[in-house]
Amino acid sequence: MSPTQTILQAIPGNPYIGLQRADALWHDYRHGQIPTPDVVSTQTEPLDLENQSDTYDVIICGSTLGILLGATLARQGWRVALLERNILKGRDQEWNISRSELRTFVELGLLSETELETAIATEYNPARVYFDGGEDLWVRDVLNVGVDPVYLLDTLKRVFLDAGGELLEKTPFSKARVAPDGVQVTAGERTFVTRLLIDTMGHFSPIVQQARQGESPDAVCLVVGTCATGYEHNQTGDLIASFTPIKNQCQYFWEAFPARDGRTTYLFTYLDAHPDRITLEDLFEDYFQLLPDYQGVSLEQLHFKRALFGFFPAYRNSPLRFSWDRLLAVGDASGHQSPLSFGGFGAMIRHLTRLSAGINDALQQDQLNAAALGWLQPYQPNIAVTWLFQKAMSLSMGQSLDQHHINSLLTTIFQDMAALGEPVLRPFLQDVVQFLPLAKTLLRTSVYHPMLVAKILPQVGVPAVLDWTGHYLSLAIYSALNQILTTPAKDAGYYWRRWREALIYGSGSDYDGPSAQR
């Protein structure tokens, strides 16, 4: 047996079976066999909501991240039902985030200060950024907090239920029929009616698959990792590290975090969905081969407790806006995080205040048609510009690059950002791009490393640069308008408030920065 099979089969629950399932789905995505289910239909006749049983203002499908939004909406007084195919329970592996971002839970009244502290399972400092051939860069208070998902979701579940929300576990979404006055939702053997249906079922939601109609992802992040004991005591982490040249037409990157019951290490890479791309098991084989060099420990010293793996598709057509009335994609289902990010928790927290306020407005003002709901997932130029960064951190099949090119490129860019100070480096590490920090970085790199800039163009291609230039100019416009315009009053119209929020978030001006640390 391969090392991957041997190690994973020895972990409780035999995650090797799950790895094979994930690889089968990844095979389908690489070979254009993406499912296109027919789960959403429309009708012209109204549902007559007043004479329907099991009627809600909002039904949310998918509870892991849906409970965050469900709890806020229930506390606002809406009738909310949460559909979950299994049991609502957090996983054992912590979610890493920055402490300032966690303040959202307190500000929305979802957690008390004491509950917030209890939800924090681990906290470490500092974190490293490193690329082969460069120097270590160390930052503090970035993704350095590990949240206990079990406690967090259990607490939010209690908040949701106390506010009158209804949790329907072991009730998987089956289909939805959209009518002029509502949506009829079939889940398991039951039928419900709601004014608004929210999809938080993630990247592989059947509603999302139907909306995208088999469209191949524009980029993919493959991730494998484990949580294990046996490492030397180490209270530092790696936000992104690379110590090997290009391999398998991929540049490998690592993350490492202290965990409550060991140390978590990830290996990830950015690529496209070409049929000849490596499998998750291939990546896991390289993970176990390289892990001893990365962490300075032999595999025999480690006791593996959990295996972590997955692939995360990203689409340029994001955030996803459904063409159906009364349907809204949120979280990973919408793809509202950047193509560099492979976890939806941080993005969900970042947008939670905006989404809960916007959905509340949409329900109050009956702005539930597709166009109105589309403004809840607006174009964000600060996310769109990151597509060029993703392309610069990967290479296509058949493309020939110096094996150290990507490490050299990233070393230079991150050192330039570090030289410009934390106001430039820190937001980028938290998946927030802002115009002035980006402009300063580009100017410094162009002046001090003109030949490096010249090397990027052949790698990414002229069309990608032209596309990026349009988003970069949009980012400049959004940033300027955000400085000029005032914050809308609470009684401002629905569309004005949504446009104002689009400027704030699309320019990265929602970022609180280190001043929000507690």
Side-chain angles (χ1 to χ4, degrees):
M1 290 192 297
S2 67
T4 298
Q5 187 174 358
T6 301
I7 293 172
L8 266 59
Q9 286 183 341
I11 297 175
N14 189 5
Y16 185 71
I17 297 174
L19 178 66
Q20 290 178 304
R21 286 198 298 264
D23 251 338
L25 185 59
W26 172 223
H27 174 277
D28 290 345
Y29 269 69
R30 298 199 320 272
H31 290 82
Q33 300 168 5
I34 303 173
T36 55
D38 185 15
V39 295
V40 180
S41 60
T42 59
Q43 66 178 48
T44 56
E45 302 81 15
L47 295 171
D48 189 15
L49 267 61
E50 293 184 359
N51 295 317
Q52 297 278 351
S53 58
D54 291 329
T55 301
Y56 301 91
D57 295 304
V58 182
I59 288 180
I60 302 175
C61 300
S63 67
T64 302
L65 291 182
I67 188 65
L68 278 66
L69 186 57
T72 61
L73 295 175
R75 292 188 75 253
Q76 290 169 340
W78 299 108
R79 297 166 297 171
V80 184
L82 193 58
L83 307 183
E84 168 55 43
R85 64 184 303 170
N86 296 308
I87 299 294
L88 174 55
K89 183 180 180 182
R91 64 179 188 176
D92 292 328
Q93 185 60 42
E94 291 122 61
W95 288 329
N96 277 85
I97 196 169
S98 302
R99 181 177 277 270
S100 60
E101 296 169 296
L102 286 178
R103 297 296 307 170
T104 299
F105 287 112
V106 176
E107 292 163 2
L108 289 175
L110 300 177
L111 296 180
S112 67
E113 295 282 359
T114 301
E115 288 170 334
L116 179 65
E117 292 303 319
T118 305
I120 296 175
T122 57
E123 190 167 7
Y124 75 91
N125 266 313
R128 181 180 68 151
V129 176
Y130 169 76
F131 304 101
D132 192 36
E135 299 179 355
D136 290 347
L137 297 177
W138 293 95
V139 295
R140 298 184 65 84
D141 302 324
V142 177
L143 300 181
N144 66 308
V145 170
V147 175
D148 177 1
V150 175
Y151 174 81
L152 177 63
L153 295 190
D154 187 60
T155 304
L156 293 176
K157 174 182 174 179
R158 186 171 62 251
V159 172
F160 175 69
L161 296 175
D162 288 347
E166 186 171 350
L167 175 61
L168 301 165
E169 298 174 315
K170 293 191 175 181
T171 309
F173 167 83
S174 299
K175 59 184 179 180
R177 191 165 72 234
V178 182
D181 58 342
V183 184
Q184 186 178 75
V185 181
T186 302
E189 309 233 342
R190 298 185 60 181
T191 299
F192 311 91
V193 173
T194 182
R195 293 176 61 204
L196 174 65
L197 177 63
I198 299 178
D199 180 3
T200 59
M201 293 183 284
H203 296 289
F204 308 110
S205 155
I207 301 177
V208 170
Q209 289 176 330
Q210 180 176 344
R212 295 206 182 272
Q213 284 296 297
E215 177 187 1
S216 181
D218 297 294
V220 176
C221 182
L222 293 190
V223 184
V224 299
T226 63
C227 181
T229 56
Y231 297 101
E232 291 185 8
H233 182 71
N234 184 351
Q235 282 302 112
T236 68
D238 284 343
L239 294 180
I240 182 169
S242 177
F243 64 95
T244 55
I246 292 169
K247 180 180 181 181
N248 295 326
Q249 287 298 103
C250 297
Q251 180 63 62
Y252 289 170
F253 302 102
W254 294 80
E255 278 187 328
F257 303 110
R260 180 172 48 189
D261 54 351
R263 187 169 181 81
T264 301
T265 53
Y266 295 102
L267 172 62
F268 63 97
T269 188
Y270 301 112
L271 34 70
D272 56 26
H274 190 280
D276 295 335
R277 288 298 189 180
I278 61 173
T279 66
L280 284 164
E281 187 164 357
D282 291 335
L283 190 61
F284 240 138
E285 286 294 297
D286 286 339
Y287 168 87
F288 286 119
Q289 179 187 353
L290 296 170
L291 183 62
D293 288 338
Y294 174 50
Q295 291 291 297
V297 61
S298 68
L299 294 181
E300 290 72 22
Q301 291 177 253
L302 300 178
H303 174 62
F304 295 98
K305 295 190 170 185
R306 291 185 294 279
L308 314 152
F309 48 82
F311 73 95
F312 301 86
Y315 297 84
R316 292 182 182 276
N317 178 23
S318 294
L320 178 63
R321 291 175 285 276
F322 289 141
S323 60
W324 304 290
D325 295 339
R326 301 182 179 274
L327 264 67
L328 176 68
V330 169
D332 289 343
S334 73
H336 64 191
Q337 72 268 34
S338 85
L340 300 176
S341 175
F342 52 86
F345 178 62
M348 187 72 178
I349 297 301
R350 178 185 172 195
H351 292 275
L352 187 58
T353 300
R354 176 184 69 82
L355 285 170
S356 58
I359 293 169
N360 181 62
D361 283 352
L363 291 167
Q364 285 184 339
Q365 301 177 39
D366 204 32
Q367 295 284 356
L368 300 175
N369 60 62
L373 292 175
W375 277 94
L376 294 175
Q377 294 293 10
Y379 163 67
Q380 297 179 64
N382 70 324
I383 297 297
V385 295
T386 62
W387 277 97
L388 188 69
F389 308 152
Q390 189 276 344
K391 197 168 183 63
M393 296 170 72
S394 61
L395 65 163
S396 60
M397 295 299 293
Q399 187 176 21
S400 179
L401 289 178
D402 179 272
Q403 61 178 349
H404 301 290
H405 169 78
I406 294 177
N407 276 331
S408 176
L409 170 67
L410 294 175
T411 294
T412 301
I413 291 175
F414 273 88
Q415 286 179 346
D416 283 346
M417 285 195 290
L420 291 167
E422 282 201 354
V424 172
L425 179 61
R426 182 186 290 267
F428 185 83
L429 292 174
Q430 292 183 245
D431 208 22
V432 177
V433 177
Q434 299 170 320
F435 177 72
L436 283 179
L438 178 58
K440 290 178 181 178
T441 302
L442 293 174
L443 178 61
R444 179 182 175 88
T445 303
S446 300
V447 171
Y448 286 92
H449 313 283
M451 294 307 297
L452 184 66
V453 175
K455 291 179 181 179
I456 296 176
L457 186 59
Q459 178 194 353
V460 301
V462 173
V465 173
L466 292 177
D467 179 71
W468 175 85
T469 302
H471 297 306
Y472 179 69
L473 294 175
S474 295
L475 178 60
I477 294 170
Y478 271 52
S479 301
L481 289 174
N482 183 60
Q483 293 295 318
I484 296 171
L485 299 176
T486 59
T487 301
K490 290 185 178 181
D491 59 352
Y494 175 83
Y495 288 96
W496 167 245
R497 289 180 63 84
R498 303 292 81 76
W499 186 64
R500 192 66 186 86
E501 289 167 351
L503 294 179
I504 294 171
Y505 282 78
S507 63
S509 301
D510 61 297
Y511 175 73
D512 289 329
S515 63
Q517 300 288 338
R518 296 292 188 270

